[in-house]
Amino acid sequence: MDGYDTLAAFSIPANVSATLSLCQSPPCAGEVKACTTSLEGTVRSAMDMLGADKDGGGVWVVTSTVLRGGLPQ
């Protein structure tokens, strides 16, 4: 059973097939490509591309919260 048969067997949408094809294709000139399969893999790949571990630095996670009533006027 190839990958496309597997997608059909599990009723996975066709756009997933297109995404997998793009992921498996070679990168364009100058493109850095990483096809990850988990959130952790995506974060690690982004950190590697940014050079976050090379200088002993890291990645800072930043979020913001808007109060339920909205921003002050």
Side-chain angles (χ1 to χ4, degrees):
M1 181 181 291
D2 67 14
Y4 297 105
D5 291 339
T6 303
L7 294 174
F10 290 100
S11 301
I12 296 174
N15 61 341
V16 172
S17 175
T19 300
L20 291 174
S21 294
L22 288 173
C23 186
Q24 294 171 348
S25 67
C28 298
E31 178 185 28
V32 177
K33 198 171 200 178
C35 297
T36 60
T37 57
S38 67
L39 176 60
E40 291 83 5
T42 302
V43 170
R44 172 61 50 206
S45 178
M47 289 175 65
D48 290 345
M49 287 181 195
L50 294 170
D53 288 338
K54 292 181 179 147
D55 62 0
V59 174
W60 289 49
V61 177
V62 180
T63 64
S64 62
T65 303
V66 177
L67 299 174
R68 189 172 290 211
L71 295 174
Q73 298 295 322

